[in-house]
Amino acid sequence: MPERSRVAVLISGRGSNMAALIYASRADDCPYEVALVTGDNPDAPGLELAEAEDVPVVRIPAPTTKDRSRYFSALQKVLEDHCIDFIALAGFMRILPDDFVAEWDRRMVNIHPSLLPRHKGLKTHHACLAAGEKVTGATVHLVTPELDSGEILGQVEVAVLSDDTPETLAERVLIAEHQLYPHVVSRYLNRTRDFEWITERVAELALALPATYPQTSHGSPGWKVGTQSNSKFFAIMWNHHHGEGSVGVLVKCSGQDEMAHLIQSEPDIYFRPAYYGPSDWVGIKLDRPKVDWDHVSERLAQSWELVAPRRLLEAGGR
Ligand code: GRF
């Protein structure tokens, strides 16, 4: 089983979506574990349930209007202390400050009880009934500074019955939420292990370097520097080749000493690829929950410099 993402669930109340996320995480093939439950209300009933399920819980004192920023600094510290990769908001009733949202950009999701973009904010079921709609549902979306407006990752529809009240409708939508949330979180987290997704990210970084173009090497996506008549590979994708259990990218390093040093100091990140290793290619594992893409970009640039034709280097390179 590859490393699981460490998810924090933030709640303010009952925590039934939190429970759905916890129970789904018990499946063998679930790509995440709930590594923390916290929130803005130390008395939230969901916290007790999480404790009973042996999930780590931290109670942070509820923020007053004045110390909102102190609350979010404390929260950020708790998330870092628990090595959290990803946040799922589940009935967390606080407006998030922009810097907190930026810190967790594309690593924080929310569930909302309507088919967004319809009925943002509170009282969604009242609004749906008042509009006479026949279908409503739930949405999981990325969190951005604007309320309930980030990229939609998944939705589920729920029929509105003619005798529904806001309460009966909420009850059924909640059942749908419990199915949707763990499913969408798992699918989103799994993409970071997907060869195609990883390759697209590497391609973007590799092709941002000067005089580069894509070319396959023995069937693997790769990138060269130079012209069609005089060029060299500086990056090649690796997909579980030769029994190596990882997806990654191979880049040139300065020699065997540097490779040994990299692998020894960060064995979770670097590996020596079979066949390529003796010619100073080092592998960077990329199917991990938390890849530092700036670091990958630096390694690609260094590899580029090691193989780029002299003319490009003399021209100032990058
Ligand atoms: C859910 O309806 C969710 O969509 C909304 O808040 C409610 C939380 O319920 N954001 P619970 O605490 O998960 O039971």
Side-chain angles (χ1 to χ4, degrees), residues 244 246-249 262-263 265-272 282-288 290-292 295-296 299:
E244 168 60 50
S246 267
V247 171
V249 63
L262 290 171
I263 295 170
S265 51
E266 300 209 75
D268 293 341
I269 298 182
Y270 292 103
F271 64 95
R272 181 184 168 87
V282 66
I284 309 174
K285 294 178 197 172
L286 297 176
D287 52 348
R288 295 176 288 119
K290 210 172 180 176
V291 170
D292 178 349
H295 178 72
V296 176
R299 297 297 326 185

Side-chain angles (χ1 to χ4, degrees), residues 182-221:
H183 172 74
V184 173
V185 169
S186 294
R187 188 175 61 192
Y188 185 72
L189 293 173
N190 265 329
R191 88 211 185 291
T192 62
R193 298 178 187 169
D194 175 59
F195 182 73
E196 307 296 326
W197 186 85
I198 294 170
T199 303
E200 269 175 40
R201 300 214 66 174
V202 176
E204 227 171 85
L205 300 175
L207 295 173
L209 293 162
T212 52
Y213 65 94
Q215 185 161 314
T216 52
S217 166
H218 302 285
S220 279

Side-chain angles (χ1 to χ4, degrees), residues 42 56 72 105 117 126 218 240 250 254 259 290 308 311 313:
F72 278 96
D105 183 36
H126 283 91
H218 302 285
H240 300 107
L250 309 187
S254 62
M259 178 157 6
K290 210 172 180 176
R311 135 187 99 70
L313 294 170

